[in-house]
Amino acid sequence: MAKKNVNDMSFLDHLEDLRWHLIRATLGIMVAATAAFIAKKFIFETIIFGPTHMSFPTYRWLCSMSEIVGVETSFCAEKFPFIIQNRTVAGQFSAHIWTSIYAGFIVAFPYVIYQFWHFISPGMHSNERRSSRGFIIVASLLFFLGVLFGYYVVTPLSLNFLANYSISDSISNEFDVSSVIAIVRSSALASGIVFELPIIIYFLTKIGLVTPKFLKKYRKFALVIVLILSAIITPPDIASQVIVAIPILILYQVSIYISAIVLRNQKRKEKRHARQHS
């Protein structure tokens, strides 16, 4: 059956359309999650527990950098001073389920974004649809870059700091498996979402909620928010917070340029429209 014209659709029709897009997105996530559930050994041994081994690429690189500058660091240790244990009956199975769902969402993100775009695109003008064709690619690229940043930068810095932090030599670190997995999952996913900032600013500018002038005016407040956000998703040491804050600040500056471009294009369209009707 042919799809209804968006102008002829009632509010309930839009809700029904949204429901089917959400169902398709959920099915896409579940298919990817099923594949992740089956690939248990690769997901956990290689990906999730990768940052818990000192052979992880980030630790090797940081160790090399510290040797060049002649600074002693825990990044050059042979192994972490902790063990991973499971203390609940269903702990490992629960971790397997939830990790698979997280992995499914990350892998299926382009399809989820496609469903979102497919829902809003009928309400766009033809020229707007043409100019937004790269939306799925750009949004997915930013998300995956954020996930990689969270996995290869935020996660190793967090684990290294927390694993080597001690209030007494009489205390040994025996981390619960759910706690270790949570650090990896939350760091990767949170960074992926943060890297969507330019996309968010693009849409907020399109609907008139933000402008380049507004973003520049409140840049100082944004800096404070970025530092707070960096403190939340990283361990409480200055070096880690700065490393995380730098790309977020760059994304904020990029968002200002994107907002300016969107606003400039809107003004050009308004001028063309005014000339056509004059």
Side-chain angles (χ1 to χ4, degrees):
M1 183 175 68
K3 191 172 183 179
K4 291 182 180 180
N5 188 300
V6 66
N7 296 320
D8 299 329
M9 295 174 66
S10 66
F11 177 71
L12 291 178
D13 289 330
H14 283 292
L15 285 181
E16 178 67 11
D17 190 36
L18 176 61
R19 184 173 75 90
W20 279 107
H21 284 298
L22 291 175
I23 290 174
R24 294 188 190 100
T26 302
L27 288 175
I29 293 173
M30 295 312 298
V31 169
T34 301
F37 186 86
I38 295 173
K40 177 178 66 173
K41 185 174 182 180
F42 173 76
I43 292 294
F44 285 94
E45 294 295 336
T46 304
I47 298 179
I48 297 297
F49 296 133
T52 65
H53 303 295
M54 296 309 300
S55 57
F56 194 66
T58 303
Y59 302 133
R60 294 204 305 266
W61 183 81
L62 290 173
C63 177
S64 299
M65 292 299 101
S66 63
E67 289 176 347
I68 291 174
V69 297
V71 176
E72 292 186 6
T73 176
S74 58
F75 293 116
C76 296
E78 294 184 1
K79 64 178 182 178
F80 275 118
F82 68 83
I83 63 172
I84 302 176
Q85 61 179 350
N86 176 56
R87 295 182 296 174
T88 58
V89 175
Q92 295 194 57
F93 180 73
S94 178
H96 191 186
I97 292 291
W98 281 106
T99 300
S100 299
I101 293 174
Y102 274 79
F105 175 79
I106 292 173
V107 172
F109 184 80
Y111 182 70
V112 173
I113 287 294
Y114 168 76
Q115 290 299 326
F116 169 75
W117 182 86
H118 198 58
F119 172 70
I120 65 173
S121 60
M124 299 179 178
H125 296 295
S126 57
N127 58 336
E128 289 178 331
R129 281 196 293 270
R130 286 194 298 270
S131 62
S132 63
R133 284 175 180 172
F135 162 71
I136 299 172
I137 297 175
V138 174
S140 300
L141 180 62
L142 286 173
F143 179 76
F144 288 133
L145 284 175
V147 169
L148 290 174
F149 179 79
Y151 181 69
Y152 282 103
V153 177
V154 179
T155 298
L157 290 176
S158 300
L159 278 177
N160 182 74
F161 175 84
L162 296 173
N164 289 283
Y165 185 84
S166 176
I167 58 175
S168 173
D169 293 336
S170 62
I171 301 175
S172 59
N173 286 327
E174 298 179 357
F175 298 151
D176 190 76
V177 63
S178 61
S179 178
V180 175
I181 293 175
I183 288 180
V184 181
R185 291 189 316 210
S186 60
S187 297
L189 190 58
S191 297
I193 294 173
V194 168
F195 270 58
E196 291 296 302
L197 180 62
I199 300 296
I200 296 172
I201 295 298
Y202 171 84
F203 280 105
L204 291 179
T205 304
K206 290 284 287 185
I207 62 178
L209 288 181
V210 299
T211 62
K213 185 178 179 180
F214 174 86
L215 294 173
K216 291 177 182 178
K217 181 180 178 181
Y218 292 98
R219 197 199 307 263
K220 294 180 180 179
F221 296 99
L223 175 60
V224 174
I225 294 174
V226 166
L227 292 176
I228 294 174
L229 182 63
S230 301
I232 292 173
I233 64 177
T234 60
D237 65 283
I238 300 300
S240 299
Q241 293 175 16
V242 170
I243 290 174
V244 173
I246 288 175
I248 299 178
L249 290 174
I250 292 174
L251 287 171
Y252 187 83
Q253 187 62 40
V254 170
S255 299
I256 294 176
Y257 292 134
I258 290 175
S259 181
I261 292 171
V262 171
L263 200 62
R264 185 167 61 247
N265 290 338
Q266 287 180 340
K267 290 181 178 179
R268 287 176 180 174
K269 291 177 183 178
E270 291 174 358
K271 289 181 180 179
R272 285 199 302 266
H273 185 74
R275 285 198 299 267
Q276 290 173 357
H277 291 79
S278 60

